Amino acid sequence: DPAEADQDPGDYHDDIEEIDCPYCGKAIYEHAQVCPHCRSYISLEDAPHSRRPRWIWAGIFLVLAALVGYVALHLRP
């Protein structure tokens, strides 16, 4: 069994460095992926990828197609 001094729960925190969160400025652990204070992802690599649903892309395409059709009809001589 480890010695009682080796079991001190505060010992392992001495080696961990802290940095300031780039969003809220509060102290966080250097290797944190998410700030525990503001819940922002520290780097874009750690953030989940957001994907827009296909219906949004279909809606954008339909609006653009309608706009092009409208402009083409009204610009004819």
Side-chain angles (χ1 to χ4, degrees):
D1 288 331
E4 191 172 318
D6 293 338
Q7 295 179 0
D8 184 22
D11 284 346
Y12 69 93
H13 288 292
D14 294 339
D15 296 336
I16 299 175
E17 298 206 19
E18 292 185 343
I19 59 171
D20 291 336
C21 171
Y23 302 102
C24 69
K26 294 184 179 179
I28 59 172
Y29 292 120
E30 183 179 22
H31 297 291
Q33 293 180 352
V34 177
C35 175
H37 307 288
C38 68
R39 297 289 187 210
S40 297
Y41 283 89
I42 305 306
S43 72
L44 293 177
E45 296 165 349
D46 295 332
H49 299 289
S50 63
R51 293 188 53 187
R52 293 186 178 171
R54 291 183 185 195
W55 64 269
I56 291 177
W57 291 114
I60 291 171
F61 176 77
L62 289 174
V63 168
L64 289 175
L67 183 62
V68 167
Y70 178 79
V71 169
L73 286 175
H74 286 86
L75 290 180
R76 284 188 175 174

